[in-house]
Amino acid sequence: MLGMFVHVLRSGGVLSASLLRQLTYSTTRFGVYEELKESFTTAKRSPSLPTLVAIASASGVLGGIAGNPADVLNVRMQHDAALPPAERRNYKNAIDGLWRMTREEGVRSLFRGVWPNSLRALLMTASQLASYDGFKRTLQTHFRFGDSLSTHFAASFLAGFVATTICSPVDVIKTRLMSAKHKQSLWHFVTRVYRNEGLTWMFRGWVPSFIRLGPHTIATFLFLEQHKKFYRAWREEKAYG
């Protein structure tokens, strides 16, 4: 683990691959979700929780497809440290990695694991974005919380817990499939892992996942809420100014 951490620090390409993933995956799913949610919102009522889940699911699938090439690249570059030197791919950066993957393995390599990844993005977006809005609404309606920083923090913490738990099995599948040297079917992979490890494989690495995803979810929604607040104020000032 220490060796992999040192490898990540030394390789600026890993950081560029991670940034590319966020620019494609996160921007798509957040942007589509907010646009769809706004289109379903009226002056008298907000979208119901099932509607939010459906909107988030569609947004997640689109984000998963858009971000898959960068996700494959990111997993490979992080996994390089665990491989023998002769088997390492040694991508220089995100652009070099995408170019070499396309040239050496074909365009289809950019979408390896796209359906497990899209399923994971669907589950992540539904359990993170829709649950955040659901928790926030519950806190405000039933516990008389205001639209404050403490409400945003509590709702995002709960959303991070839900998202980590729901996405854990798909995270395990996605990481192992994308880092595999040879292509294998999803069904064959799941049956083999279940036979070798039992049901415990579904939540392998849950704690480090929550340590990563929990603060990330909190920071994301705190920033998003402040951004929306300033954006609304700017629009009102522009409209009436």
Side-chain angles (χ1 to χ4, degrees):
M1 175 128 184
L2 180 60
M4 182 176 294
F5 180 71
V6 172
H7 177 78
V8 169
L9 288 179
R10 288 178 177 175
S11 176
V14 175
L15 298 179
S16 66
S18 180
L19 179 60
L20 179 63
R21 178 183 179 274
Q22 293 302 323
L23 289 173
T24 52
Y25 163 67
S26 294
T27 302
T28 300
R29 70 189 186 106
F30 273 95
V32 173
Y33 177 77
E34 289 296 328
E35 284 294 321
L36 291 177
K37 186 174 72 171
E38 186 173 342
S39 68
F40 279 88
T41 301
T42 65
K44 295 183 178 180
R45 60 181 301 177
S46 299
S48 63
L49 183 58
T51 301
L52 290 175
V53 171
I55 291 172
S57 298
S59 305
V61 171
L62 293 175
I65 295 173
N68 200 81
D71 212 2
V72 175
L73 180 64
N74 193 41
V75 169
R76 287 187 173 191
M77 294 179 78
Q78 291 184 21
H79 187 65
D80 244 13
L83 296 174
E87 297 181 17
R88 292 178 183 173
R89 299 177 175 94
N90 293 319
Y91 299 140
K92 297 177 182 177
N93 50 54
I95 302 302
D96 177 65
L98 292 175
W99 169 252
R100 283 182 51 192
M101 285 169 61
T102 305
R103 184 185 62 189
E104 298 169 8
E105 305 174 49
V107 176
R108 293 183 63 181
S109 66
L110 300 176
F111 296 95
R112 175 175 291 184
V114 65
W115 298 121
N117 198 31
S118 296
L119 175 60
R120 192 261 184 191
L122 182 156
L123 294 174
M124 172 61 74
T125 308
S127 61
Q128 192 180 47
L129 275 66
S131 71
Y132 172 80
D133 283 332
F135 283 128
K136 179 183 173 183
R137 186 181 302 172
T138 300
L139 290 170
Q140 290 177 317
T141 304
H142 299 288
F143 297 94
R144 298 186 179 181
F145 278 56
D147 190 13
S148 62
L149 197 63
S150 59
T151 305
H152 304 157
F153 179 87
S156 58
F157 177 85
L158 293 170
F161 183 89
V162 171
T164 303
T165 303
I166 290 179
C167 294
S168 182
V170 184
D171 276 341
V172 176
I173 294 173
K174 184 197 76 169
T175 301
R176 295 191 186 184
L177 280 179
M178 288 184 172
S179 61
K181 277 288 186 180
H182 305 288
K183 188 176 181 180
Q184 53 184 317
S185 69
L186 178 61
W187 175 252
H188 179 267
F189 171 81
V190 172
T191 53
R192 180 174 59 82
V193 172
Y194 173 74
R195 187 169 55 249
N196 294 336
E197 303 179 33
L199 289 175
T200 57
W201 70 268
M202 297 178 66
F203 300 102
R204 191 175 297 275
W206 187 95
V207 172
S209 292
F210 180 71
I211 292 174
R212 175 185 63 84
L213 186 59
H216 177 269
T217 303
I218 293 170
T220 297
F221 283 112
L222 291 182
F223 173 81
L224 183 62
E225 289 287 0
Q226 294 303 308
H227 171 75
K228 290 193 292 187
K229 177 181 177 182
F230 289 122
Y231 179 69
R232 290 192 202 103
W234 176 77
R235 287 185 62 179
E236 290 178 2
E237 182 180 349
K238 186 177 180 181
Y240 299 106

